[in-house]
């Protein structure tokens, strides 16, 4: 069993598991942080951004004026933002049989995998994952296509040139594998390959069975169990034990795993989501009270539902009930509506509301009372209805594309306004780099509800997997806080760590296989009881293995001799019923065996201890006998006269 | 009333003695017993028993019946003891053979009633009640009851065992006090000063203590120690010294054996003994040991708390109790590494937290008494506390690499709270002001941290107030307050948790009080926008927070009184007055309304006359006096009291004219009070449905009357009539009638 790690990002995983001749891709997350190297795409013409000077090396030798622009002391690529894809060269992606998706954040690279690699398999995902994933992809595509760029910048990627660029562009890795965003057609085609599954629904795929389990992180988010008759691999991706909107995490089914692949822990282990939510609210209230606006760059689904719910209660209590909230995204409407219809995927508290009947999320009431308004873009109705001070939720959290770029240009100059970062995916300082100097206040309250190290250690204690595989960063304290040994995984045996492009052989010994007996063969068996309740029978059969299924069939009879007319027809003789020969089982006891050899004149025996047993070298005969726990080999270089007596000696 | 009750007594006794009747509940029996006690204290037992022969019959019938309910028997035993507390009563009961019948050892075991704990407790209580004269003690000794009491000391019921202990102590005390009254010199005397027949009684009890201490049975040792500490703390000489002499050896053995569960009780014993005595000092020394035993930390924590304690022991205990703190938060020292037990305990979460809390609270206790540390500088101790607090918020590693205590401590609210308390307490050491930068730094970190629990923030505020008060003379403090503290406070006033908003406002109030008169602070309060944030907090959704906001605004206004009247100050006062009047008239909760009246009282009490208040005072008196909340009314009357004093004594609001006669001045002052509506308030409050309000109003009216009578050179009633247009008596009567009609 092998694990190919196509992404080293701990929360945007993309791994391929080869298990029993099945090739299973576990998630295909898209690392969008590469977008931070690019200039923002303004929706409305920005005189500031359009007048940026082009970059020319100090000695004038390299002139990339058209591709690179200098902005606030840093150099950015002036082109449509690109993303870092999962590794495509590590294995042939066309051989992938199935892709399992854990949550909508971990499927954003799907079109890159399914569309141009010859992929012919199936993608499994839950319905909310598919629908909200589709929204996020469509939003991404719209963000990009709304602001087309005439040409793509590629010269800077040239190794020789890149080396001369200022940091951090100089240090960007694998730039040639970066790709532009996909198209709507590719999204549609990729998503057409998705087969929907429900929690705990067992899907058979060849010899393995895959089962999604609720992971408690987002609507429809799942962990997966991949198992055969005798092996069980658990894949834990973004999971949460906090009481937020999704169904709680199912833990008990993860017990007794041979291997547990653990990804998607919290990216900010030092930030407690409750504390961050408190910070978010107090900073928001402070800004609004002082007459400023609040900008919240966020994804159009996920934490935003919890933020709106929290604000729904907070704003009234803070006497800010009249402050409008605006949610601006091409998919804002669908996101808010979708959240209300996936009742069965919600936590119990929200599910029960549906029967009252009440909308599960209070944002419905905010919309009804006109406190929350949503718009597909800043153009159109929004501009006429917009009222300040207000709170705006909009994407993209990287601040490189989407409506957020406009608000940064609009509000960045006033110290009354505040930008509050709640998504943990991007470094907020890097995100803000092209907007410097910035007068508006910046507050970083990353809200990451995924498991923290304390929770995960408790979980692992409960479910007791034999082996844990995890991204490398989880095996050491965060680089910024080397003394925090509580922020890493400390397990016995130590977890197997992976990084991008690692190929891990999983420490996994397959001991048993299930084999089917055909009825006619079973009929021919003659069991004889060797002790009470235990019967044995010798089987002579042909083993057929196909698609990981093994069947014992009767030995085909030799083709009957064509009946000659002369001979009388002979009735077939009944099969001879034989008592089974004595059978040997168990390990060979070394001392008695040596004594036996000695007795038979083999005196020069050199015994060597190995990890699995012993090797006996019969020096005169030049024969090697390997004694292992479950196998014995006599190696005697085709010396049949010697092998046979040896074998007989062994059988005692 | 008592005579009516007494007439009912025979019938009550009959009911109680009737086993067919269901017994009344314990409470009514207790009440009946209380009534007897009261009666007993008023008269003497003889009269009661002689007048009420039914009582003798009752006792006899209950004690001889085999079907008595345990509750009734217990009650009867207590009652019999009470009645036998006088010599006459004792004599009457003994004459009838009732005492023996009730308390004799064999009698107790009738019908398994003894199995009921209430009967055993009643038996002990009865003896305790009886033990007021020698005859009773003779009775106890003669009938061998001491043995039973000693047995009951080990009773399975904790109440019975504790009562048995009390009785034993009482007996011992009685032995010595009786000897004293008999004329012998008790203090410093020996056994010979006791009556010869009582020597055996005291020896029996004391031997029992010694035997218990030498026992191998842990609960028995514990009981022995408890009795010993009671005797040492409650008995006089010669019992104390006799017993002390006997127990010294077994105590030494116990201490050497070292058992953590006995530490607390052993320390109580040592505390009860004369701690300055040489043997106690040695025992304390032995208990503290070399600081490498589990129980020595608990012992050291207790020694630190002792008021009278040998200096040597206290220093040693201080050294030991600071070890956990130093071990976790200072640089590794080779000598500390030798403390194996400590290292082991610090590596486990529960014991690590408990040790550090012990260490911190002992340090706070020492700081509270301004203990002078000798072996270690107060700087280093304070730095350790700061380091520990940093570690608890995840910012620092623990110093000893082998002990990864920080894993247990990160985010541990208990240690954080305790550490902050200690840090606050350490502000008493003047030399610590050098560390103010570090201290304010860590306090600020806690205030800023999104993960700080509400209770931790509260403690941070408390510590900060103490340090700010200490550091107020330093010019860098204002810089810290306006640049670092105010932005955090502003955010905390928007916190999701009302508790945090509330404690922030309380803190601002305390801060303003502490820095009262500091013009720089007042300036910063205004320029940083804090004042407007305070004003907006007056509209908070939580009543408690609004109340705290009222207090904070009140204090901010007071602070501005100290400075020249500027446009800014008067605008603040105007805004505050408007919002407070709205709160007083419209707020649905009592706390903010109470706070408004209190703020007015505080302004009025201040040394700076504020003319702007005048227009609002009559409204405050009228609104406050008619409030539904009795506490608002009380506060309004307190405001009225201050107003009265100010107007009548110094009259700050009247233009002083030397030509005015005393009478004119008083008439003017009273007229002014009338204009404020003070008389309306007082007369209305006099008829209020809440008693404290009536009393307060009445007291104020009486004071006014006395004042006018003393000051005016003519008939005060004429003066009153002149001002109020009505005599007070008539006024009250007419208001009363109006109220009745309404």
């Amino acid at each position: 069993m092998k694990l190919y790690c196509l992404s080293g990002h701990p929360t945007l995983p993309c791994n391929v598991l080869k298990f029993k001749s099945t090739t299973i891709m576990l998630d295909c997350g898209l690392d969008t942080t590469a977008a931070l190297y690019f200039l923002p795409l303004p929706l409305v013409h920005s005189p500031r951004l359009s007048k940026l000077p082009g970059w020319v090396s100090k000695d004038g030798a390299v002139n990339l004026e058209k591709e690179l622009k200098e902005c606030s002391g840093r150099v950015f690529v002036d082109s449509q933002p690109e993303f870092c894809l999962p590794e495509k060269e590590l294995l042939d992606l066309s051989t992938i049989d199935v892709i399992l998706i854990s949550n909508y954040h971990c499927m954003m690279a799907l079109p890159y995998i399914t569309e141009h690699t010859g992929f012919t398999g199936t993608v499994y995902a839950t319905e909310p994952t598919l629908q909200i994933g589709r929204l996020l992809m469509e939003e991404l595509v719209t963000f990009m296509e709304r602001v087309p760029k005439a040409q793509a910048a590629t010269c800077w990627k040239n190794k020789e040139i890149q080396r001369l660029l200022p940091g951090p562009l100089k240090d960007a890795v694998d730039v040639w594998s970066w790709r532009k965003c996909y198209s709507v057609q590719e999204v549609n085609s990729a998503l057409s390959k998705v087969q929907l599954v429900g929690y705990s629904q067992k899907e058979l795929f060849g010899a393995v069975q895959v089962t999604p389990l609720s992971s408690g992180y987002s609507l429809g988010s799942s962990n997966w169990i991949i198992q055969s008759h005798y092996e069980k691999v658990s894949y834990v991706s973004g999971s949460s034990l906090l009481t937020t909107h999704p169904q709680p995490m199912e833990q008990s089914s993860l017990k007794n795993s041979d291997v547990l692949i653990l990804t998607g822990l919290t990216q900010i282990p030092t930030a407690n989501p409750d504390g961050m939510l408190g910070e978010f609210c107090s900073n928001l209230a402070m800004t609004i009270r002082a007459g400023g606006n609040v900008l919240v760059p966020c994804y159009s689904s996920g934490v935003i539902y919890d933020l709106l719910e929290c604000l729904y209660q907070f704003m009234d209590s803070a006497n800010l009930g009249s402050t409008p909230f605006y949610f601006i995204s091409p998919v804002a409407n669908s996101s808010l509506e979708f959240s209300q219809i996936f009742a069965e995927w919600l936590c119990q508290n929200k599910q029960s509301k549906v029967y009252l009947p009440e909308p599960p999320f209070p944002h419905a009431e905010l919309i009804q009372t006109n406190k929350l308004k949503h718009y597909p873009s800043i153009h159109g109705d929004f501009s006429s209805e917009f009222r300040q001070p207000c709170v705006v939720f909009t994407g993209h959290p990287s601040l490189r594309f989407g409506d957020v770029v406009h608000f940064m240009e609009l509000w960045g100059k006033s110290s009354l306004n505040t930008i509050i970062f709640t998504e943990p995916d991007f470094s907020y300082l890097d995100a803000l780099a092209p907007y410097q100097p910035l007068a508006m206040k910046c507050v970083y309250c990353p809200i990451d509800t995924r498991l923290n190290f304390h929770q995960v250690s408790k979980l692992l204690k409960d479910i007791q997997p034999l082996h844990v595989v995890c991204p490398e960063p989880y095996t050491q304290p965060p680089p910024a806080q080397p003394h925090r040994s509580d922020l890493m995984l400390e397990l016995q045996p130590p977890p197997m760590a992976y990084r991008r492009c690692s190929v891990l052989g999983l420490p996994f010994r397959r001991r048993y296989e299930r084999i089917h007996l055909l009825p006619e063969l079973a009929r021919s068996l003659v069991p004889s009881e060797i002790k009470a309740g235990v019967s044995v029978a010798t089987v002579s059969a042909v083993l057929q293995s196909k698609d990981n299924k093994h069947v014992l069939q009767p030995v085909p009879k030799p083709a009957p001799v064509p009946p000659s007319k002369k001979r009388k027809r002979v009735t077939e003789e009944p099969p001879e019923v034989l008592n089974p020969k004595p059978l040997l089982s168990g390990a060979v006891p070394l001392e008695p065996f040596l004594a036996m050899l000695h007795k038979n004149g083999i005196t020069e025996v050199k015994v060597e201890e190995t990890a699995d047993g012993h090797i006996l070298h019969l020096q005169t005969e030049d024969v090697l006998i390997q004694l292992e726990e479950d196998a014995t080999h006599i190696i005697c270089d085709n010396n049949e006269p010697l092998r046979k007596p040896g074998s007989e000696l062994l059988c005692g | 009333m008592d005579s009516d009750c007494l007439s009912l007594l025979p019938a009550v006794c009959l009911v109680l003695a009737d086993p067919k009747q269901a017994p009344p509940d314990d409470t009514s029996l207790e009440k009946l017993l209380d009534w007897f006690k009261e009666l007993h204290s008023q008269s003497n037992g003889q009269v009661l028993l002689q007048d009420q022969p039914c009582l003798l019959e009752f006792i006899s019938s209950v004690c001889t019946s085999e079907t008595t309910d345990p509750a009734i028997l217990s009650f009867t035993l207590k009652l019999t003891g009470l009645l036998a507390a006088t010599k006459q009563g004792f004599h009457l009961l003994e004459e009838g053979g009732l005492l023996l019948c009730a308390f004799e050892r064999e009698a107790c075991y009738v019908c398994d009633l003894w199995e009921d704990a209430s009967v055993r407790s009643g038996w002990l209580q009865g003896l305790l009640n009886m033990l007021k004269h020698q005859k009773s003690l003779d009775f106890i000794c003669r009938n061998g009851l001491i043995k039973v009491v000693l047995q009951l000391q080990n009773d399975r019921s904790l109440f019975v065992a504790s009562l048995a202990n009390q009785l034993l102590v009482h007996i011992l005390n009685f032995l010595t006090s009786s000897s004293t009254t008999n004329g012998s010199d008790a203090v410093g005397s020996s056994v010979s000063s006791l009556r010869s027949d009582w020597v055996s009684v005291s020896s029996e009890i004391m031997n029992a203590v010694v035997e218990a201490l030498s026992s191998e049975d842990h609960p028995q040792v514990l009981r022995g120690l408890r009795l010993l500490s009671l005797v040492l703390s409650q008995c006089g000489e010669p019992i104390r010294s006799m017993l002390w002499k006997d127990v010294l050896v077994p105590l030494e053995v116990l201490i050497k054996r070292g058992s953590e569960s006995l530490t607390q009780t052993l320390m109580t014993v040592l505390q009860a003994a004369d701690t300055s005595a040489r043997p106690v000092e040695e025992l304390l020394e032995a208990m503290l040991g070399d600081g490498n035993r589990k129980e020595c930390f608990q012992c050291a924590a207790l020694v630190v708390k002792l008021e009278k304690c040998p200096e040597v022991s206290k220093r040693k205990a201080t050294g030991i109790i600071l070890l956990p703190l130093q071990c976790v938060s200072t640089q590794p020292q080779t000598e500390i590494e030798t403390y194996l037990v400590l290292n082991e305990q610090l590596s486990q979460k529960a014991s690590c937290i408990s040790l550090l809390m012990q260490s911190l609270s002992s340090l706070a206790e020492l700081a509270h008494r301004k203990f002078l540390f000798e072996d270690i500088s107060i700087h280093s101790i304070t730095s350790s506390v700061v380091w520990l607090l940093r570690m608890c918020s995840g910012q620092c590693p623990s110093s000893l690499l082998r002990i990864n205590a920080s894993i247990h401590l990160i985010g541990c609210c208990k240690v954080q709270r305790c550490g902050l308390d200690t840090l606050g307490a350490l502000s008493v050491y003047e030399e610590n002001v050098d560390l103010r930068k570090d201290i304010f730094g860590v306090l600020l970190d806690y205030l800023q941290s999104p993960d700080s629990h509400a209770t931790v923030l509260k403690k941070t505020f408390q510590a900060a107030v103490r340090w700010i008060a200490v550091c107020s003379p330093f010019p860098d403090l204002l810089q810290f307050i306006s640049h670092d503290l105010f932005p955090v406070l502003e955010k905390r006033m928007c916190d999701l948790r009302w508790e945090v908003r509330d404690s922030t406002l309380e803190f601002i109030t305390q801060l303003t009080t502490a820095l009262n008169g500091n013009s720089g602070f007042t300036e910063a309060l205004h320029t940083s926008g804090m004042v407007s944030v305070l004003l907006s907090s007056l509209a908070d959704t939580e009543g408690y927070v609004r109340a705290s906001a009222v207090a904070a605004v009140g204090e901010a206004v007071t602070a501005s009184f100290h400075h020249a009247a500027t446009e800014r100050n008067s605008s603040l006062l105007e805004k505050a007055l408007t919002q407070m009047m709205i709160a007083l008239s419209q707020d649905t909760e009592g706390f903010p309304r109470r706070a408004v009246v209190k703020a007015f009282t505080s302004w009025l009490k201040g040394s700076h006359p504020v003319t702007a208040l005048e227009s609002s005072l009559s409204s405050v008196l009228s609104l406050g006096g008619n409030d539904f909340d009795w506490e608002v009314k009380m506060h309004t009357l307190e405001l009225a009291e201050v107003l009265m004093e100010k107007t009548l004594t110094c009259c700050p609001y009247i233009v002083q004219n030397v030509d005015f006669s005393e009478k004119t001045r008083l008439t003017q002052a009273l007229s002014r009070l009338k204009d404020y509506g003070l008389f309306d308030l007082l007369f209305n409050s006099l008829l209020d449905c809440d008693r404290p309000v009536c009393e307060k109003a009445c007291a104020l009216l009486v004071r006014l009357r006395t004042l006018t009578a003393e000051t005016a050179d003519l008939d005060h009633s004429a003066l009153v009539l002149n001002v109020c247009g009505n005599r007070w008596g008539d006024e009250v009567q007419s208001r009363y009638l109006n109220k009745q009609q309404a």
Side-chain angles (χ1 to χ4, degrees), chain A residues 66-82:
Chain A
K66 285 192 178 157
E67 288 200 354
L68 303 179
K69 303 279 177 191
E70 275 194 83
C71 176
S72 323
R74 256 166 108 158
V75 175
F76 294 91
V77 182
D78 187 12
S79 171
Q80 200 184 74
E82 295 177 355

Side-chain angles (χ1 to χ4, degrees), chain A residues 40-43 136 139-140 142-144 146-147 295-301 304 326-332 375-378 392-408 419-423 426 435:
Chain A
L41 296 180
L43 261 183
L136 293 182
E139 185 189 44
L140 196 62
T142 316
F143 281 158
M144 296 295 174
R146 262 192 329 200
V147 193
L295 178 63
V296 187
C298 61
Y299 293 114
S300 50
S301 182
I304 187 173
Y326 300 114
F327 178 19
I328 303 169
S329 157
V331 296
Y375 302 92
S377 121
I378 50 168
V392 170
F393 296 90
T394 187
H396 185 267
S398 65
L399 307 189
R400 292 299 180 271
F401 41 91
D403 302 85
V404 73
V405 177
H406 175 69
F407 287 98
M408 286 304 295
I419 176 167
I420 308 183
F421 290 88
T422 55
E423 302 289 355
F426 301 91
Y435 300 96

Side-chain angles (χ1 to χ4, degrees), chain A residues 272 279 286 317 319 484-485, chain B residues 404 410 451 491 496 539 541:
Chain A
N272 160 29
E279 281 288 289
M286 241 166 57
S317 73
N319 272 317
R484 294 291 299 263
S485 56
Chain B
N404 208 349
I410 292 170
D451 293 334
K491 195 177 76 185
L496 270 179
T541 43

Side-chain angles (χ1 to χ4, degrees), chain A residues 194-268:
Chain A
V194 175
Q195 185 172 324
L196 296 180
V197 282
Y199 286 149
S200 303
Q201 182 184 326
K202 294 181 169 61
E203 278 295 323
L204 265 179
F205 194 85
V208 298
Q209 178 184 275
V210 292
T211 316
L213 303 171
S214 169
S215 75
Y217 170 56
S218 58
L219 272 177
S221 67
S222 357
N223 292 322
W224 291 87
I225 305 277
I226 304 145
Q227 59 189 341
S228 66
H229 294 301
Y230 298 104
E231 294 95 5
K232 178 170 172 181
V233 177
S234 297
Y235 174 56
V236 172
S237 188
S239 304
S240 175
L241 292 170
L242 300 182
T243 317
T244 52
H245 59 271
Q247 244 190 54
M249 180 182 175
E250 154 71 31
Q251 299 175 49
S252 57
S253 307
L254 298 171
K255 282 185 182 167
N256 304 321
S257 307
D258 296 294
V259 173
L260 182 125
I261 302 166
L262 180 67
T263 64
L265 301 186
T266 175
Q267 297 193 71
I268 319 285

Side-chain angles (χ1 to χ4, degrees), chain A residues 285-514:
Chain A
M286 241 166 57
T287 307
I288 300 286
R289 275 189 192 167
N293 301 295
V294 177
L295 178 63
V296 187
C298 61
Y299 293 114
S300 50
S301 182
V303 174
I304 187 173
Y305 304 139
D306 297 310
L307 285 181
L308 287 174
E309 180 156 2
C310 177
L311 287 178
Y312 166 77
Q313 293 160 356
F314 174 72
M315 294 305 268
D316 278 337
S317 73
N319 272 317
L320 301 169
S322 58
T323 312
F325 299 160
Y326 300 114
F327 178 19
I328 303 169
S329 157
V331 296
N333 187 27
S334 321
S335 166
L336 292 173
E337 283 177 1
F338 269 144
S339 63
Q340 304 283 22
I341 58 165
F342 289 126
E344 58 177 298
W345 305 89
L346 293 172
C347 62
Q348 197 55 44
N349 181 23
K350 293 217 180 309
Q351 276 194 28
S352 54
K353 281 194 174 180
V354 180
Y355 302 104
L356 288 177
E358 262 179 39
F361 285 95
H363 56 238
E365 199 184 315
L366 286 174
I367 295 171
Q368 261 173 13
T369 52
N370 264 338
K371 285 179 182 166
L372 171 64
K373 292 184 178 176
H374 53 85
Y375 302 92
S377 121
I378 50 168
H379 300 300
D381 289 347
F382 173 72
S383 46
S384 54
E385 291 172 25
F386 173 53
R387 191 158 56 80
Q388 302 190 67
C390 63
V391 184
V392 170
F393 296 90
T394 187
H396 185 267
S398 65
L399 307 189
R400 292 299 180 271
F401 41 91
D403 302 85
V404 73
V405 177
H406 175 69
F407 287 98
M408 286 304 295
E409 295 287 324
L410 187 70
W411 288 344
K413 295 173 205 84
S414 166
S415 61
L416 283 177
N417 303 325
T418 305
I419 176 167
I420 308 183
F421 290 88
T422 55
E423 302 289 355
D425 288 353
F426 301 91
S427 145
Y428 78 102
L429 290 175
D430 287 341
L432 288 172
Y435 300 96
Q436 300 298 342
L438 197 67
M440 86 194 289
K441 284 195 284 286
C442 303
V443 179
Y444 184 56
C445 342
I447 299 174
D448 196 333
T449 57
R450 286 174 280 209
L451 295 176
N452 61 33
F453 286 95
H454 178 67
Q455 291 166 329
V456 90
S457 335
K458 241 174 127 183
L459 175 77
L460 292 176
K461 246 181 216 165
D462 281 351
I463 59 175
Q464 303 249 326
L466 287 183
H467 300 280
V468 174
V469 180
C470 66
E472 198 174 38
Y474 296 166
T475 58
Q476 51 217 13
Q481 289 153 307
H483 66 279
R484 294 291 299 263
S485 56
D486 55 325
L487 303 182
M488 59 182 276
L489 281 180
E490 274 186 300
L491 301 172
Q492 268 321 314
M496 299 180 68
Y498 71 79
R499 51 172 82 172
R500 192 178 164 103
C501 292
S502 296
V503 180
L504 303 182
L506 299 183
F508 204 69
R509 262 182 97 173
R510 280 162 58 185
R511 288 178 160 269
Y512 298 104
E513 274 298 348
R514 181 170 288 195

